[in-house]
Structure formats: C-alpha cells, structure tokens
Amino acid sequence: MPHAIPVGDDAAYAEAHAAFARAHPGYASPELDAERAHDFSRLDRSGDVYLDYTGAGIYAESHVREHAELLTGRVFGNPHSTNPTSLAMTERTESARRAVLAHFHADPEEYVAIFTANASGALKLVAEAYPFAPGGAFLLTYDNHNSVNGIREFAHARGAEVTYAPVRPPDMRLDDGALRRALDAPGRGGRRLFAYPAQSNFSGVLHPLAWVGRARERGWDVLLDAAAFAPTHALDLGAVRPDFVTLSFYKMFGYPTGVGALLARRDALAVLRRPWFAGGTIAYASVGAPRHDLHEGAEAFEDGTLNYLALPAVEAGLRRLANGRQAAIDARVMALTGWTLERLVALRHRNGRPLVQVYGPLDMDGRGGAIALNLHAANGALIDHREVERRANAERISLRTGCFCNPGAGEAALGISGDELASCFGAHDRMTIDTFRGCLSDKGSGAVRVSYGRASTFADAFALVRLLQDFRT
C-alpha cells in the first residue's frame, strides 16, 4: 500500500487500485508520485486524507524551503523607495508580476496584474470602482461565491439593475436560454457587468468560457472568477479575454496565503473610478490644496504596502506548475473524480435505495475536481452533513460541509424556493445558521464537498468511498 492512511483491507485496496489503473491510464505520473513522496510526505506521516483542495491547496515542502532560503540569504526593504534593499524588492515584485501574466498567457500590453490580499480583495476592487449607475446593469449567476454576490450591494446603491441567471439542477449547469436572454436584453445607456465563475466552487461544474466572448460582443464587461478553476486548469487570456479575472494563489499551490490577484484589461481598468486613495496608489497628494492624482496601471489599485516578502513565493509556485505539470495534475484529478463518481452512484442500501445524492454532473463532461453530495438513510431521510463531517474527522479525512459561501448554488441544489426563504427570513429579525436550519430542516442546510488536487492519490479516493459506504444499512 503506498501510504499509511485508513483504506481498510489491503487485498480489497490492491484489487481496486489495479482496476482503477487499467481504467484510468491518464492518472499515471511518475513526476507527481515523486513529488507526493518528497514534498507531501507529511500527509503520509500524519495519516491525513486531504480532500479540500477547493478550500486551499497543499504547499510543497521544497517551495517553503526555497522561499525561506531566499529570505534568510538576502535583505529586502519596502519597495516604495529607491534605496538598494527597496530596489531589490521592487525587482522581485515586478518579476512576480511578469510571471503571473506569463502563466495566464496575458499580453502585458493588454493586461495588468494587480496584487491583492486574496480573490475577495480583487473582487472588491472591481465592485467599489465599477461605474454602476441608473441605466446600468449587473448580471450574475446563481452559482457564485459570496464575494461576487456582494458586488450587488454596490450596484443597488448606485441604481443599477441586478439580475441573477439561474442554474438547473440536478446537473447544476447554467440555464443557457435564460442567460442568453439576459445578455441579449438591450442596454439602457449605462455600463453593464456580467460576473460568473469558470468553475463552481460548489458543484465543480465548468461553466463555458465561451460566455466571455458572447457577453463582450453584446456590450457587457465580464468579470471571471477563476479561484476554483486556476489550480488545475489552464486559463489562456490570449484566447479568452475577460475584462477582469480574480484568483487566490494559496488555492493554486498552497503557499503563500495572503496574496491574490486581479488581472485586468488596461481598457477596462481605465473605466474604473476608485472611491478613495491610499499610500502607494498616488503620484502625489496635497493637503494644503486638496488634490491627488493616482498612479497609472496596477499601482493605482494596490493600497498601501503589498505583502511584498510573499511575492517571490508566488513566482516560485508558478514555476512548479510549468512544463506540463499543471496538465498532469488536471489529468490525475479528473481520473480520481471520475472513479469517485462511479463508486458513489453505485452505493446503495440493502433495500436498493441510493445512499448518495450528487449535486452536479454524474460524469466528467464539463466538470472539475469538486463533488458536492448528501447522504440519505434507507428510508430516504437526509443524513445531516455535520454527522458525515464528524465521522470523517474521526478518520482524519478533511472534507468540507455547508454551502461553501455559495448560497445560490446551495439553494438550487437543495430545492429551496424563494418563497420558502422569504417566509423563513420574515419570521426572524436576525438570521443565524441555527435558525436557518430550523426553518428548512426537511431540506437540509448544506452539503458535503470533497475535492481533489495536486497531491491527491487513489488511496485518498479509496478512503473516502470506504468512509461513505459505512453509512449503508
């Protein structure tokens, strides 16, 4: 057995692994096997089964060592100066910026890379500076992270129309007809922003990148949330040209945390109007004669001092995805996800009723490496996702439960209607998760999400299936 995790009977594991290898030859990667053994061996030593890559990537030990060696071997100062240590850091900052653009095949004449604290920070930069106004519009999909949903508050406050395009259960894909009608609706004079995720952080669905071009052809600015997509999929901004792309680097390679990016087309960036200025963003500011002028490009949006010592680690992380490594990760993740779906759908109670309900596609057509699911008892009753998490925790299996900061996808998956929500909200002055669960106890308040990534192995998938099959009666 390749590592010490709770997979159960050795013979059953060996038989399943051999069948898996025959059915999924794309999983094989000596390079990733070696990386698992050398850079992620702590998973094996601790017995942890990590299945929350959509929540955060796992950092490679050599990545952390390389960064530590750089910091202990050099002296770096705040880049907002021209002394030797500041200039040394400025060069590292700009090198990281160039590496980000190169990784996403973004022409630096067309795009700029703005460093932020995370993807949410990047989204807020767009939200607070986008010229929403009466006659303008904000179109977004039900399937969106809350940090995208929050943009609607800026749109509402400035008089723009806000519209949600639905997703259709059970496969959780966008309703193409409804989205097309929304995009085709004539504008009313103001600017219009369309926001959606390249990959759902709830269901793992890959939403078509073709919507970027279709929306832009119809006069929309497009914000693409790539936070869940970028860790395992290549995004080519030379071929797909959204106006704004948001991401977090810890989701891509685990380290460093506290750094994300907004990749913005230069012409789209020129449309934004920042509501304030801060240190680092201005060419100059005066108090005696109140006036300020912002820098041009990325600097105008990087408030204060960047997390500059972390930026060399971003460049190092991107190098670890180069030379075909990301494609190998993608192939491995797809193989594991496909095998897991096959096994979950086959799990049944003795009376023949299915144990697992999957929210999203049951095959690998247009989906990524995250699976949202719930378990049902033999009588059809929903098993509380918190009980699944409790038993997973006891086996040192790290998965995630709840709605994953994506209430729209959760409501659609669980079949919770707008009327039910309005009735629930109307009965309480302030909603908490416990009161919400009480309102909708028959439908549940969330799901279980498992997601694969760079260091995942067949043993991890086998341990998950073994855990879930023990819920059968």
Side-chain angles (χ1 to χ4, degrees):
M1 198 172 302
H3 42 274
I5 64 173
V7 295
D9 180 67
D10 286 12
Y13 172 83
E15 181 181 355
H17 185 259
F20 168 80
R22 290 192 298 271
H24 299 277
Y27 172 87
S29 172
E31 185 178 29
L32 290 181
D33 289 340
E35 186 178 64
R36 168 79 187 214
H38 294 100
D39 267 324
F40 303 103
S41 60
R42 63 191 185 279
L43 290 168
D44 305 332
R45 292 193 300 271
S46 65
D48 281 296
V49 178
Y50 188 79
L51 298 173
D52 191 25
Y53 285 87
T54 302
I58 293 287
Y59 55 86
E61 292 169 23
S62 63
H63 185 182
V64 177
R65 285 195 297 270
E66 178 185 343
H67 188 223
E69 288 169 3
L70 173 69
L71 297 185
T72 56
R74 296 285 303 274
V75 179
F76 295 112
N78 187 322
H80 289 159
S81 187
T82 56
N83 63 59
T85 54
S86 294
L87 289 174
M89 193 67 245
T90 297
E91 174 50 36
R92 292 283 179 168
T93 298
E94 296 311 310
S95 180
R97 205 185 303 277
R98 292 190 295 270
V100 171
L101 291 175
H103 179 82
F104 292 101
H105 304 283
D107 183 350
E109 296 297 315
E110 184 177 10
Y111 280 92
V112 298
I114 299 164
F115 289 119
T116 62
N118 43 43
S120 295
L123 289 162
K124 189 181 179 186
L125 281 179
V126 177
E128 66 184 8
Y130 192 80
F132 292 117
F138 179 43
L139 171 64
L140 65 166
T141 56
Y142 263 66
D143 186 359
N144 259 313
H145 192 279
N146 265 337
S147 295
V148 177
N149 289 323
I151 297 174
R152 73 189 186 196
E153 300 304 300
F154 289 95
H156 279 310
R158 297 170 190 166
E161 180 182 26
V162 175
T163 304
Y164 274 94
V167 294
R168 302 179 66 174
D171 66 5
M172 301 301 290
R173 299 191 191 280
L174 296 176
D175 184 327
D176 283 3
L179 181 53
R180 187 175 292 106
R181 288 190 294 274
L183 291 173
D184 286 344
R188 296 187 293 120
R191 293 198 75 95
R192 301 182 296 169
L193 179 66
F194 169 47
Y196 78 106
Q199 176 176 317
S200 171
N201 77 310
F202 184 95
S203 66
V205 167
L206 296 174
H207 296 303
L209 296 178
W211 286 114
V212 173
R214 293 173 190 170
R216 296 192 73 239
E217 288 170 0
R218 290 158 174 78
W220 293 81
D221 299 316
V222 179
L223 190 164
L224 186 69
D225 177 9
F229 181 88
T232 56
H233 301 284
L235 178 60
D236 185 348
L237 296 182
V240 181
R241 290 187 165 91
D243 297 278
F244 308 103
V245 178
T246 56
L247 52 95
S248 286
F249 293 109
Y250 75 91
K251 291 184 181 290
M252 295 179 67
F253 30 76
Y255 178 84
T257 57
V259 185
L262 170 65
L263 309 182
R265 291 171 58 98
R266 291 182 181 274
D267 55 356
L269 201 65
V271 171
L272 301 186
R273 295 291 179 264
R274 299 217 64 192
W276 82 313
F277 65 90
T281 65
I282 49 172
Y284 75 91
S286 173
V287 174
R291 176 177 166 170
H292 72 278
D293 279 338
L294 292 170
H295 283 299
E296 294 183 354
E299 284 185 285
F301 292 83
E302 293 176 340
D303 295 333
T305 301
L306 291 172
N307 185 5
Y308 58 87
L309 290 178
L311 297 182
V314 169
E315 185 172 0
L318 292 172
R319 283 199 301 272
R320 284 166 166 76
L321 295 180
N323 300 319
R325 181 74 62 87
Q326 190 168 37
I329 295 169
D330 185 22
R332 176 160 288 197
V333 167
M334 294 303 99
L336 292 171
T337 306
W339 183 88
T340 302
L341 286 167
E342 293 167 4
R343 294 303 179 275
L344 296 185
V345 172
L347 292 177
R348 295 186 176 273
H349 296 284
R350 283 195 294 268
N351 64 7
R353 286 198 173 191
L355 170 68
V356 181
Q357 179 179 8
V358 173
Y359 305 115
L362 298 181
D363 57 27
M364 294 310 297
D365 182 24
R367 70 137 54 244
I371 304 171
L373 62 97
N374 266 318
L375 303 186
H376 292 268
N379 65 359
L382 187 69
I383 296 174
D384 194 316
H385 56 78
R386 291 170 293 178
E387 173 60 15
V388 180
E389 184 174 39
R390 185 189 69 78
R391 288 168 66 168
N393 289 348
E395 298 286 343
R396 296 198 63 81
I397 297 176
S398 294
L399 43 74
R400 188 167 291 246
T401 64
C403 75
F404 325 122
C405 295
N406 190 332
E411 291 159 11
L414 297 171
I416 303 171
S417 70
D419 289 342
E420 289 174 304
L421 291 165
S423 176
C424 180
F425 295 158
H428 301 87
D429 292 332
R430 179 173 175 80
M431 184 62 62
T432 67
I433 187 60
D434 289 332
T435 55
F436 182 73
R437 286 176 177 138
C439 284
L440 304 165
S441 58
D442 60 326
K443 293 191 172 180
S445 60
V448 176
R449 186 186 72 196
V450 297
S451 51
Y452 295 113
R454 177 179 183 170
S456 295
T457 65
F458 176 75
D460 298 328
F462 190 86
L464 169 70
V465 172
R466 188 183 71 88
L467 168 77
L468 297 183
Q469 70 184 16
D470 285 346
F471 282 85
R472 294 178 300 181
T473 58

